[in-house]
Amino acid sequence: MSSETGKILTTDGIPLEESLKQSEKKNKIKAFLLVAPLLLFLIITYMIPIGDMFSRSIDDKMVTNMLPKTYKAMENWDGKELPPEEVFEAFYLDYKILVKNKTAGKLQTQLNYEKNGFKSVLKKLARKQKKFEEGNYKEQIMKVHKRWRNVEYWRAIKRRAPSYTYSKYLKGIDMYSNEDGKIVQVSEDRRIHRILWIRTVEVAFFVTLFCFLMAYPIAHLLATLPMKYSNLLMICVLLPFWTSLLVRTASWMILLQQQGIVNDFFVWIGLVADDNRPEMMYNKTGTYVAMTQILLPFMVLPLYSVMKTISPSLMRAGKSLGATPATAFFKVYFPLTIPGIGAGCLLVFILAIGYYITPALVGGASGTLISNQIAYHMKSTLDWSFASAMGLMLLTGVLVIYWIYNKLVGVDNIKLG
Amino acid sequence: MPKKADFVKFDKVDKSYDGKVLVVKDLNLDIEEGEFVTMLGPSGSGKTTCLMMLAGFETPTNGEIFLDNNPISNIPPHKRGIGMVFQNYALFPHMTVFENLAFPLKVRKMSQEDIEKKVDKALAMVSLGGFANRMPGQLSGGQQQRVAVARALVFDPSVVLMDEPLGALDKNLRESMQYEIKHIHESIGVTVVYVTHDQGEALTMSNRIAVFNDGKVQQLSSPDKLYEEPVNSFVAEFIGENNTFGGEVSEISNGICKVKLEKGEIIANPISVKSVGEKTTVSIRPERALINPKDKMDNNQKGKIEEVIYHGDHTRVRLNLLGNSEFILKVPNSSQNLDIKLGNEINIGWNSHDARALDPK
């Protein structure tokens, strides 16, 4: 086919393809210039930060830079027995500089992560190394503390040799690589992240489900009501959307607290006893309620825009052909709204999985999500590399969901309007 | 088996949407079994409302509709067993043609074998044999239309309703579909109630036509009677072309009356006038007035040609006749050499029988 089209010439004798390219060139440049600001914006605000996050999350150069001679000397050490004299020498020289520059503390902390009890050994060495004599450092170092005779400690140093590490990612799923380099789970009482991941997915799933169940009738009503009523309803749906997120979350706090309006109402209608008011906030219930309300418009709008395009005569046709209203709904109407359901669910789920403010304010201890943990590491522990690793894991999770959705439903089936 | 004359019966049906205006007023209509009845009228005349009441999507405000002598007002649409073809086809876009046609059979819990047989038959009927696995979106407008017709017929309904089904098609396709639907109706003998605002469509297809205006049936009769013998000036105006003269009856006797115009007088056939002095509108079909008539006609007038428009098979001539400058003549383009030129004065003649004195406008 292409060889045939290649032969077609314009009236002036120029090959048609070339002529077309020539005439389209200007338009293409124009189109590119129009999207260029957006492209630039995306690169600066999206690609670069993600790249930075990634490099931060796997960065482990600190120890490598502090012990350059040691690692060079360790290259030929197999790690089975105690390292040879030159390793000891190199380590002594590296450590001497660190002590002199007063940066030995960082190394102590870092190596203590790797092997418990390393800190005290190193501190002792810092004190004693001043009196070291030249030559035979192996003997001298081993004399400082008996742990230096233990090969485990040397292996711990060697493990930190690569300047990149995936240990932060392992930590994110409550795992670590132990002394033998095997990946194992942390002890049971310290497995907090996995609970958070599961809770995040669970909350996102149920919020999506609640949003769907509530938004479907609303969207249907919006799409079928006469214009003057549907406009009013649309404003009702959008009004919360125009209100600040903080205000909305705060108003949920007022409504849901133990002495709040909802509880007062329950007591008033006699549903609960006054002295036994249920806790609806600072737990998962509060997170569910507030997030469902806040994310509802994201479900209503795609559903509405899809339902708007479904001709009412389709349902009539279904009924006239003998289907009961329920059958007509499930066989005709519902399948046609699937693109909207897909778009709405994907949107709400992805937003919910990374939600931060609302769970932080109304979630309490049992209602916080992974994003709150990320924020905690950003602000409190200052372990940015761990925060970055978890952020990227979240992003990967979202991409996986998107991929699965694409496989199941097909992204081209999404309709947002 | 004799055909029931009132297979579908509208009995004193009123319909109002807002409690203020009657969209349908006192509708009485009997439709015979196997008949093709068209509801014809301008938009807003209540014809589609009538169809929707029959299908069950609207309820009559007053009165009752009977299907085979059973009142159906309280039967929901899906239990009426009435097939319907919608204006925009209303094919289910997520189902193949086969699934669309199988839908009414599946909800009736037919066996897969019967379904396949019936669907094949229905598709063959609309000559779409090889299209079973296409999606509606892959079909042209005409093909979609045929699928819609096949779907409305596949479950053997006793009545099929069609709501301006050809409205979205282009002119040529519309005409060929008219014949196709007519032939399908003739071959399977189903009762069809058809709604359109296109008089050509109505005249081509129907056994009888109900002309709607203002929520009322103005005339219910066969196409030829409707055209030749309109009972009031609305029908005369709405169906086909029409030359009218407004005047007053000056003499009436023996089925002939004289109508006095502002300028001159014509002899006419009194349809809805009874006494001298009544106001009337006289209606004459353009093809009933002849130029230089050879036979003796009881109306003979002189008119001045004001416009000549060539139409291929005929020429339209606009005359100024008896003070009416909109008098139209249709002259067939035969070899007959008539002196039709702008500004010429010609003799026009017509029979008093064809000049119908109807109600005044």
Side-chain angles (χ1 to χ4, degrees), chain B residues 260-308:
Chain B
K260 196 173 155 21
L261 311 177
E262 266 180 48
K263 292 178 189 167
E265 191 182 56
I266 47 182
I267 303 166
N269 182 3
I271 302 295
S272 45
V273 291
K274 288 185 180 65
S275 54
V276 174
E278 268 185 74
K279 290 240 186 282
T280 183
T281 303
V282 178
S283 147
I284 306 153
R285 293 289 181 202
E287 65 276 10
R288 296 284 154 158
L290 301 177
I291 299 172
N292 297 332
K294 288 184 186 115
D295 305 326
K296 174 131 182 48
M297 287 178 156
D298 44 8
N299 282 294
N300 274 296
Q301 303 290 346
K302 265 198 183 311
K304 191 179 164 203
I305 298 176
E306 299 213 323
E307 197 177 1
V308 180

Side-chain angles (χ1 to χ4, degrees), chain A residues 314 316 319-321 323 331, chain B residues 57 78 82 86 91 94 108:
Chain A
L314 286 178
R316 287 183 161 183
K319 286 184 211 165
S320 83
L321 293 170
K331 288 274 158 73
Chain B
F57 300 123
H78 62 274
I82 294 177
F86 291 83
L91 295 179
H94 57 299
R108 285 174 174 77

